[in-house]
Amino acid sequence: YLKISKLALAFAIIHSKPPGKSCREYTEHLAKTVSKQDFGWKSKVEALEAEILRLRQELLLNKICPRFCLENDASAETLLDQECINPMSYSSQLEDSGCDVSNDYAFDSLGIASDFHQFEHNFDTSKHWLERAPPLNLCSTGKGESLTAPVQFLQHLLEIRKLSEGGILQANFTELENDSFTISNSVSQLLDGLTIFYNSPKFPVSNFLTEAVCVLISLITDTKLSNHVLKKCAKKLEEFKKNLIQIILRNSSVNRFQALHAVSHTLLLLGRNNILRNSLISLLLSEVRQFAEQLLQTHQVLSSF
């Protein structure tokens, strides 16, 4: 049946071939046309899947805590836009060879000692959280869209958790058992977004990137929410850490130091977490061991000369 189908397609192409074009050229033209249509459908499917996830996220938050304010606003995108509209002097850094990065302003937002503690401090259990929590906008477009949606959803989830612990809100977290898919899918989306950024970073590095990593760590640290992440996304999380390490090891571009600073900072933030620390150290030691073995092999080869 497959052979007959291929033969029939070949005859159809030959018969419909316009004059002045070879069969090969016409076949390639048809293949490009079909692939463009496939790409269009894929884009539509991805957009619909993103919309479904957005609705599931909104529905889950509403089920957990109907009182929690769900508004559509562009606060996260505004943060990203402001940082890109008002950049400081980054041009000299990006044009430099990378050997001397004396102006570390680009990474002031990546201060290791204070970022995570500051983020934790912001989760004070007060009624003002309802007023100053960033409104939910999960169908964002433009810069940072791969990070904005999952970060805002997970951030609201953590806010509800803290407020319910303080007795300010009444929340029903049993709903998480019925819809763990939404959390795990949101975490996967967040990890994919971070990986995309680190593979081809854009400068200046946004504060929102550090916030995204802190949200991930807070989610893993939370006793009620961590199981939904660690059970469903353990493999994805491990791959994410491996990718970060490989990005550092394989990046050989001249101006790589700005990008590697951001990646190493994320590794340090992850390493501060007790749950992630052991596996991260194991991955790093494994790379060190492999490098030592390569050095030994090279030494043995060279010694024969």
Side-chain angles (χ1 to χ4, degrees), residues 17 48 76 82 89 135 139 161 185 193 201 263 290 294:
K17 179 182 72 69
L48 289 172
Q82 285 175 349
S89 178
C139 54
R161 176 91 170 85
N185 208 4
V263 179
Q290 289 180 27
Q294 290 173 6

Side-chain angles (χ1 to χ4, degrees), residues 4 38 58 91 136 139 196 216 229 234 257 266 272 276 293:
I4 293 171
D38 286 345
E58 191 170 333
S91 57
L136 190 65
C139 54
I196 290 169
L216 176 65
V229 180
F257 296 102
T266 297
R272 289 165 64 91
L276 303 177
E293 289 172 354

Side-chain angles (χ1 to χ4, degrees), residues 138-238:
L138 301 170
C139 54
S140 57
T141 56
K143 294 185 290 294
E145 63 180 343
S146 58
L147 282 175
T148 305
V151 167
Q152 287 190 344
F153 165 68
L154 297 171
Q155 203 171 35
H156 279 283
L157 200 61
L158 289 165
E159 289 159 9
I160 293 173
R161 176 91 170 85
K162 290 290 182 181
L163 289 170
S164 64
E165 279 186 346
I168 299 169
L169 282 180
Q170 289 186 348
N172 180 17
F173 283 95
T174 57
E175 290 292 337
L176 294 179
E177 303 298 333
N178 302 326
D179 193 8
S180 59
F181 165 83
T182 300
I183 295 183
S184 59
N185 208 4
S186 300
V187 173
S188 295
Q189 194 180 35
L190 172 58
L191 293 173
D192 287 339
L194 287 170
T195 303
I196 290 169
F197 171 82
Y198 287 126
N199 278 319
S200 54
K202 296 177 182 178
F203 295 94
V205 178
S206 170
N207 289 330
F208 189 64
L209 186 73
T210 302
E211 186 179 353
V213 177
C214 289
V215 166
L216 176 65
I217 294 171
S218 294
L219 193 69
I220 293 170
T221 307
D222 191 284
T223 52
K224 276 193 176 179
L225 302 176
S226 61
N227 286 337
H228 299 281
V229 180
L230 298 176
K231 285 180 182 177
K232 304 278 185 178
C233 305
K235 189 175 180 181
K236 187 99 175 177
L237 198 57
E238 199 72 7

Side-chain angles (χ1 to χ4, degrees), residues 26-40:
Y26 186 52
T27 304
E28 288 175 351
H29 166 71
L30 292 174
K32 286 180 181 177
T33 304
V34 172
S35 65
K36 284 179 182 178
Q37 291 175 352
D38 286 345
F39 181 77

